[in-house]
Amino acid sequence: MRDVHTVRLPAATPPDRVDVLVVGAGPVGLAAAVELHARGVDVAVVDQAREATLVRAGAMGHTPRVVEHFRRWGVLQDIRAAWTFPPEWNQGIRLVTSLVGHELVPTTRPAFTGAARHSAEEALRRPQTALQQVFLRHLALRGVTVAGGWRLTELRADADGVDAVLAHGRTVRARYVVGADGASSTVRRLAGIEREGDHATEKRLRLVVRTGDISARVGAAPSGTNIVVNQRADGFLAAISSREWRVYAGPYPLDHQPSEDELLSVARAAFGFDLDLELASATTFYDATRIASTFRAGRVLLAGDAAHVRTPGGNLGEGFGDVVNLGWKLAAVLAGQACEELLDSYDQERRRHNWRIADFALARARRSRETLAEIRRLGVPDDADLGPEARRRRALIGSILGANRLGADGVTFDERYDDSAVIWYEDGQRESEPPWRPDAYADDPRPGHRAPNGQVDPYGGTLYDRIGNDLALLVLTEDRTVERAFAAEAAARSLPFTVVHLTEPAAREVYGTGNVLVRPDQHVAWRGTALPHGGAAAVLDRIVGVRRLVEPVAELVAVGSER
């Protein structure tokens, strides 16, 4: 297991000039640099901090959709190897009365059969600092500057770029600035972007507590991820390392400051036995939604928590989704393959999507509070009570939790962009779309939807592996007329373009026949058996922002001065 308690950011000097300056070296900011560098963009990252620590313990769970991004970025194996607690502690998410208590809803675990499972669509759990270390190593090997200890103080934008003024008298001239500097974003403030949404009426705390050796009480392989429900504690009890655990406390009134003894009492209730605990950190979070009024202000763009903060549960994954949507668009604009209006679609697509997820997350949190209140009115029996009445009540509580434990396939995979100016929708499609559901998802190859993924060769290669970083045409027909037209038009525009012939019957069951054009962010842009009026040129014009640009953008001359 690797030590990821402290991540030290490189003590580097930011460049004088760069295509894209990313402000914020958290997971989203570093992922933006990984994405942009892979697309040939000259990018650098600055952060006011010099290090990040594990004790803050932000997001740890990463959905199969996020894992798809890790795989394409070439960092998945390193992230998988970055265990911070013993792998055998990974037993799924258990609903329990305490760590040593009773399981309330059975957890399905894979049977040990000796057969290997090869899939790019498996969730994993790693702390944010583990991701940061992997991203930093990846960027260092590729010569991408990441510089800690540089605070942004001013943004001066003009028609050609942005002067990012940093502390210590240094100015970086960038064509674009991406703000990935967290919920209290300096970039957002300097760009004059407001936030929308309701403020919270109460608060909760995310605790990180340190234990001694508790193996004598919990065994050598306790469950590393649990949702606890009892009379005093509720929410996650999740291992961060073999000695640190994340625990939730609250809710509390906004003006209440719980004592350390009060917080540690909640933590002990989650463990289910008396033990020595050290409070390493207590971070406040809220069941609320705060989303930027726009994700783009000219040459300044926002991503991750700088753009959207909501009820906890998957917000980091949405930040990675921002990066993937924005990356190919910025690269295409900088290379002269698209017009700048394409960047408007980043705000158009991602802000609508994030509101949809935020509304669901807030409603889920409120429903969970109501369910918890109902359970506590029934009374959660003490773990030591093994009598018939205690067993009956635990079974009843389990049934209540099970009835309210909806799936989240829609949240994970239904990343539909259903009102975008750069997608060629089918006639009547938007009016006939089934409503988005957080708990349900079916593969959907229509324009605007995430292109269904799957294995396409006997050696474990996936469709996304074949697509790579390019605009891709999936061909499911013997007629190659459309293929030739798109290939010629893409070549004329110097657009990275690949063709994937899908001959497998299973793929055709999902995609049908004809042709499907997939954007570099793995979303369907157009599909059809024949080209529309205007041909391939009209379709690509739509995708890259209406008007065609085939000549490279002229080099910018830096106007910022060092001081």
Side-chain angles (χ1 to χ4, degrees):
M1 293 178 291
R2 296 177 180 176
D3 179 12
V4 292
H5 284 75
T6 301
V7 177
R8 291 178 175 81
L9 301 180
T13 300
D16 293 328
R17 186 170 66 172
V18 71
D19 284 341
V20 177
L21 179 68
V22 177
V23 180
V28 171
L30 295 175
V34 171
E35 174 77 25
L36 289 166
H37 176 78
R39 298 189 181 281
V41 174
D42 184 18
V43 60
V45 183
V46 296
D47 196 296
Q48 66 178 356
R50 297 183 185 276
E51 63 181 33
T53 57
L54 179 63
V55 292
R56 187 179 177 277
M60 291 182 62
H62 311 292
T63 68
R65 177 59 176 151
V66 171
V67 173
E68 290 174 343
H69 303 324
F70 293 163
R71 179 168 176 150
R72 181 172 58 82
W73 291 334
V75 297
L76 178 56
Q77 190 53 45
D78 279 350
I79 291 173
R80 279 179 172 157
W83 284 103
T84 57
F85 57 85
E88 58 266 28
W89 292 18
N90 189 33
Q91 301 169 17
I93 299 177
R94 298 174 69 238
L95 273 165
V96 295
T97 59
S98 71
L99 182 62
V100 296
H102 302 268
E103 191 165 41
L104 294 168
V105 178
T107 301
T108 302
R109 297 185 62 185
F112 182 77
T113 62
R117 297 178 67 227
H118 302 283
S119 172
E121 298 183 354
E122 296 176 355
L124 55 78
R125 295 187 64 80
R126 302 292 184 276
Q128 291 185 192
T129 47
L131 303 187
Q132 286 173 281
Q133 285 193 348
V134 170
F135 291 152
L136 284 168
R137 288 195 296 270
H138 182 91
L139 293 169
L141 288 171
R142 288 153 181 81
V144 176
T145 298
V146 179
W150 295 90
R151 180 172 56 87
L152 178 70
T153 62
E154 186 180 356
L155 290 175
R156 297 196 296 257
D158 55 42
D160 298 320
V162 183
D163 288 333
V165 182
L166 307 175
H168 316 301
R170 189 163 190 83
T171 297
V172 178
R173 177 66 172 177
R175 290 180 173 182
Y176 293 93
V177 169
V178 174
D181 50 341
S184 301
S185 171
T186 299
V187 172
R188 187 183 65 238
R189 176 177 58 80
L190 293 176
I193 299 174
E194 300 293 332
R195 291 195 293 179
E196 301 170 343
D198 295 332
H199 290 279
T201 59
E202 56 187 14
K203 67 183 180 183
R204 301 195 73 194
L205 277 80
R206 183 186 293 116
L207 314 179
V208 175
V209 296
R210 293 197 179 105
T211 72
D213 181 0
I214 58 175
S215 60
R217 187 67 176 83
V218 303
S223 170
T225 310
N226 311 273
I227 297 177
V228 170
V229 179
N230 63 41
Q231 290 298 107
R232 297 171 57 202
D234 73 279
F236 269 108
L237 173 63
I240 304 169
S241 72
S242 59
R243 291 291 187 273
E244 285 109 348
W245 294 75
R246 185 174 70 180
V247 192
Y248 286 179
Y252 301 106
L254 293 175
D255 59 355
H256 177 64
Q257 298 299 327
S259 67
E260 181 171 327
D261 287 345
E262 184 178 354
L263 296 176
L264 290 178
S265 176
V266 173
R268 290 189 181 95
F271 281 94
F273 62 99
D274 191 29
L275 73 166
D276 290 332
L277 289 176
E278 174 192 349
L279 182 63
S281 70
T283 306
T284 303
F285 70 93
Y286 307 92
D287 289 337
T289 299
R290 303 291 290 160
I291 295 181
S293 58
T294 180
F295 289 9
R296 182 192 180 205
R299 290 179 175 267
V300 177
L301 303 112
L302 304 177
D305 285 1
H308 45 81
V309 176
R310 60 173 175 78
T311 303
N315 204 42
L316 177 57
E318 297 306 329
F320 291 139
D322 297 342
V323 163
V324 171
N325 183 289
L326 178 61
W328 75 270
K329 295 173 181 178
L330 267 177
V333 170
L334 288 165
Q337 299 156 353
C339 59
E340 193 168 316
E341 286 77 7
L342 176 62
L343 299 179
D344 290 334
S345 70
Y346 168 63
D347 171 72
Q348 192 176 47
E349 294 174 353
R350 291 303 298 176
R351 188 155 54 92
R352 179 179 174 89
H353 171 72
N354 272 286
W355 268 111
R356 179 181 285 147
I357 300 295
D359 287 345
F360 156 73
L362 187 57
R364 178 184 60 183
R366 289 170 175 167
R367 188 171 61 249
S368 295
R369 303 310 302 168
E370 293 169 358
T371 301
L372 179 64
E374 178 186 358
I375 288 171
R376 285 180 169 167
R377 283 193 296 269
L378 288 172
V380 182
D382 186 271
D383 284 344
D385 189 346
L386 304 179
E389 173 59 20
R391 291 197 298 269
R392 185 194 68 80
R393 263 191 289 159
R394 289 191 194 102
L396 178 58
I397 290 168
S399 66
I400 293 171
L401 291 170
N404 286 277
R405 196 182 190 187
L406 300 177
D409 284 353
V411 175
T412 299
F413 293 113
D414 197 351
E415 197 180 38
R416 67 175 75 174
Y417 301 144
D418 48 10
D419 190 22
S420 173
V422 297
I423 290 173
W424 195 293
Y425 298 101
E426 297 170 351
D427 290 343
Q429 176 188 334
R430 284 182 281 185
E431 294 75 21
S432 63
E433 286 267 19
W436 182 87
R437 287 181 53 184
D439 60 325
Y441 172 77
D443 284 333
D444 194 332
R446 288 180 296 178
H449 289 262
R450 165 188 168 272
N453 192 21
Q455 292 189 359
V456 292
D457 67 46
Y459 303 102
T462 69
L463 175 60
Y464 287 1
D465 293 338
R466 294 265 186 95
I467 291 173
N469 289 329
D470 294 347
L471 181 69
L473 184 70
L474 313 183
V475 179
L476 301 105
T477 175
E478 301 305 317
D479 184 351
R480 302 183 66 183
T481 305
V482 171
E483 174 191 338
R484 294 188 183 99
F486 272 120
E489 190 63 33
R493 300 167 185 246
S494 299
L495 280 171
F497 180 77
T498 192
V499 175
V500 180
H501 294 99
L502 287 180
T503 59
E504 296 83 354
R508 293 189 174 188
E509 284 183 17
V510 174
Y511 280 100
T513 59
N515 306 273
V516 180
L517 190 64
V518 180
R519 304 190 319 191
D521 61 355
Q522 301 155 346
H523 279 257
V524 176
W526 169 89
R527 72 171 182 172
T529 56
L531 289 166
H533 178 72
V539 175
L540 292 185
D541 280 348
R542 172 79 59 88
I543 293 169
V544 300
V546 182
R547 68 186 179 88
R548 187 192 309 185
L549 289 176
V550 296
E551 295 297 325
V553 174
E555 280 291 317
L556 291 173
V557 177
V559 298
S561 58
E562 293 185 21
R563 52 191 174 90

